[in-house]
């Protein structure tokens, strides 16, 4: 295994350990040439961030081909419903035409939202 792969594996395992303990950052940018590690971390967040019974109201999954930055930011700025936090996941973000416009939200994210932006090679 190459050194960079070992480092990436270690970083991802630490992120997943924190996620499983309920420690979340308000923003995750998951990217890489290959989708393995970003997908692994994204799935851990999806599995652990919002209780299953609260997902209908507090979990939103969007795709770059079907969304724009305004929609993502609008979702991220909502407040959670009967929960401490909400989760917004943007998959295939590299395919969103105005992905750079997410910077405005990323500079001042809400503490009650976990925003995951996943990009692949």
């Amino acid at each position: 295994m190459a050194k960079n792969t070992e480092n990436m594996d270690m970083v991802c395992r630490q992120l997943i350990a924190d996620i499983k303990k309920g420690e979340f950052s308000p923003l995750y940018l998951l990217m890489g040439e290959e989708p393995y590690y970003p997908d692994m971390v994204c799935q851990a967040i999806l599995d652990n961030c919002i209780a299953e019974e609260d997902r209908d109201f507090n979990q939103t999954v969007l795709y770059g081909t079907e969304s724009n930055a305004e929609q993502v930011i609008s979702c991220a700025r909502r407040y959670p419903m009967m929960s401490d936090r909400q989760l917004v996941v943007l998959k295939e973000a590299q395919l969103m035409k105005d992905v750079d416009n997410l910077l405005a939200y990323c500079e001042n994210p809400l503490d009650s939202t976990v925003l995951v932006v996943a990009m692949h090679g």
Side-chain angles (χ1 to χ4, degrees):
M1 198 182 306
K3 186 172 177 103
N4 284 343
T5 304
E6 289 175 12
N7 290 341
M8 184 61 67
D9 188 64
M10 198 167 57
V11 167
C12 288
R13 289 189 191 284
Q14 183 60 54
L15 271 172
I16 291 170
D18 291 345
I19 289 163
K20 287 183 176 179
K21 287 189 283 187
E23 298 171 8
F24 296 95
S25 293
L27 179 63
Y28 292 89
L29 175 58
L30 306 176
M31 56 191 291
E33 289 297 316
E34 296 184 26
Y36 178 75
Y37 288 112
D39 287 350
M40 186 169 61
V41 174
C42 186
Q43 191 59 52
I45 294 168
L46 283 164
D47 291 344
N48 293 280
C49 187
I50 304 296
E52 193 168 341
E53 60 272 10
D54 295 333
R55 289 179 184 164
D56 287 343
F57 296 110
N58 294 306
Q59 181 171 299
T60 305
V61 178
L62 303 165
Y63 292 86
T65 55
E66 304 166 357
S67 305
N68 61 47
E70 185 179 330
Q71 290 170 308
V72 176
I73 292 170
S74 177
C75 287
R77 291 210 187 278
R78 285 190 316 232
Y79 288 97
M81 238 182 181
M82 298 178 291
S83 180
D84 292 337
R85 68 177 159 253
Q86 70 158 339
L87 173 62
V88 178
V89 177
L90 174 61
K91 293 185 173 190
E92 302 172 353
Q94 75 279 3
L95 300 175
M96 192 168 74
K97 291 182 169 111
D98 62 347
V99 70
D100 292 344
N101 292 343
L102 293 178
L103 182 60
Y105 176 82
C106 295
E107 290 175 339
N108 190 22
L110 289 181
D111 291 335
S112 59
T113 296
V114 174
L115 173 62
V116 179
V117 178
M119 304 175 124
H120 299 290

